[in-house]
């Protein structure tokens, strides 16, 4: 985490860095000198809960947009300017990293799960989505209040995309390299697959019920 924050500051020195620690108690000292603010969920609540907390604090602090990166080193900070440039050029509401255009460094099981989840989402959304699981994203915070993303774990990110599509958000995708550092994944395949499928069912029901007009 310390190295990631330092690399972000080297890439864009004036970029504000907010870190959300999920499951780190308040009395644990975390030394991250390059950060502007450290937020904490004392009890582990999942990636979605951490992102939601970060978004709400950024909005309260007056920010217009957010770039999210995972803390495990998968997302190279030097690609941040590409997200910002594409967001400005395309006037997108959401810019998502696309790892699936080149999966050379991706383990075979992750290739299958990422391809399958993206395919399922594309069939439901009736449009090309490239990569629905990537956590490297730029988002316009002014549109966050339109959504009702209630997933707390790895169902959060595809749910955000699907609701954004149905709310007629402008989406764009940036090809990024696939980087896996052989660390243990936080994904639990069976429970997270069940959460993903349940999220799909709930969102389809909401769509058919007219919630996303």
């Amino acid at each position: 985490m310390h190295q990631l924050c330092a690399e972000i500051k080297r890439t864009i020195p004036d970029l504000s860095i907010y870190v959300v620690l999920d499951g780190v108690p308040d009395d644990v000292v975390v030394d991250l000198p390059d950060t502007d603010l450290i937020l904490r969920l004392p009890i582990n609540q999942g990636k979605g809960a951490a992102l939601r907390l970060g978004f709400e604090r950024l909005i309260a602090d007056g920010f217009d947009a957010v770039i999210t990166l995972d803390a495990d080193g998968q997302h190279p900070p030097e690609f941040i300017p590409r997200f910002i440039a594409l967001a400005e050029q395309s006037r997108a509401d959401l810019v998502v990293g696309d790892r699936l255009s080149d999966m050379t460094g991706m383990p075979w099981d992750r290739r299958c799960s990422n391809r399958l989840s993206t395919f399922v989402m594309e069939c439901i959304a009736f449009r090309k989505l490239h990569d629905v699981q990537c956590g490297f994203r730029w988002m316009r915070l002014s549109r966050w209040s339109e959504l009702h993303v209630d997933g707390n774990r790895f169902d959060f990110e595809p749910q955000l995309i699907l609701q954004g599509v149905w709310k007629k958000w402008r989406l764009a995708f940036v090809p990024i390299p696939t980087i896996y550092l052989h660390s243990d994944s936080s994904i639990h395949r069976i429970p997270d697959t069940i959460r993903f499928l349940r999220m799909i069912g709930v969102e389809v029901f909401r769509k058919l019920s007219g919630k996303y007009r």
Side-chain angles (χ1 to χ4, degrees):
M1 174 69 77
H2 186 287
Q3 180 180 352
L4 175 63
C5 293
E7 290 176 359
I8 293 172
K9 279 296 185 183
R10 283 196 295 268
T11 301
I12 306 181
D14 60 349
L15 197 69
S16 296
I17 300 178
Y18 282 34
V19 172
V20 182
L21 302 177
D22 184 22
V24 179
D26 292 340
D27 58 354
V28 175
V29 176
V30 178
D31 182 24
L32 296 172
D34 291 304
T35 63
D36 294 272
L37 181 65
I38 295 178
L39 303 170
R40 297 173 186 255
L41 292 170
I43 300 174
N44 182 275
Q45 297 182 39
K47 186 178 184 181
L51 288 169
R52 190 180 299 110
L53 174 64
F55 294 165
E56 291 171 355
R57 180 55 186 265
L58 286 165
I59 291 171
D61 289 350
F63 287 91
D64 299 320
V66 61
I67 293 177
T68 60
L69 294 87
D70 292 351
D72 58 6
Q74 287 192 32
H75 303 149
E78 61 267 25
F79 277 72
I80 291 175
R82 301 190 187 191
F83 281 76
I84 296 174
L86 181 56
E88 293 176 350
Q89 176 186 352
S90 64
R91 298 172 61 197
D93 300 300
L94 180 66
V95 181
V96 182
D98 174 15
R99 304 160 300 165
L100 305 187
S101 57
D102 181 5
M103 297 188 291
T104 305
M106 186 178 293
W108 71 269
D109 58 333
R110 300 299 301 278
R111 295 187 190 192
C112 294
S113 62
N114 287 323
R115 280 288 192 196
L116 182 58
S117 59
T118 298
F119 173 74
V120 170
M121 290 269 292
E122 288 175 337
C123 290
I124 295 170
F126 297 104
R127 61 160 294 172
K128 185 70 174 174
L129 295 173
H130 299 275
D131 185 349
V132 300
Q133 297 284 1
C134 184
F136 199 174
R137 301 179 174 196
W138 178 98
M139 187 179 73
R140 194 180 306 279
L141 287 170
S142 62
R143 303 210 64 176
W144 168 246
S145 63
E146 300 174 7
L147 306 185
H148 304 278
V149 185
D150 47 17
N152 280 335
R153 299 194 180 273
F154 290 95
D155 50 343
F156 178 94
E157 285 159 330
Q159 186 183 28
L160 192 154
I161 286 180
L162 191 54
Q163 289 191 14
V165 168
W166 285 338
K167 283 289 186 177
K168 303 189 186 308
W169 283 23
R170 293 182 293 269
L171 271 62
F173 294 85
V174 175
I176 63 171
T178 302
I179 300 174
Y180 281 85
L181 302 177
H182 306 291
S183 58
D184 293 336
S185 175
S186 298
I187 293 177
H188 301 91
R189 285 171 177 77
I190 294 177
D192 284 321
T193 298
I194 293 172
R195 288 188 188 96
F196 174 78
L197 294 175
R198 183 170 58 222
M199 179 275 292
I200 292 293
V202 169
E203 289 303 317
V204 169
F205 175 78
R206 288 172 173 172
K207 174 67 172 176
L208 295 177
S209 300
K211 185 177 182 64
Y212 298 119
R213 290 176 182 172

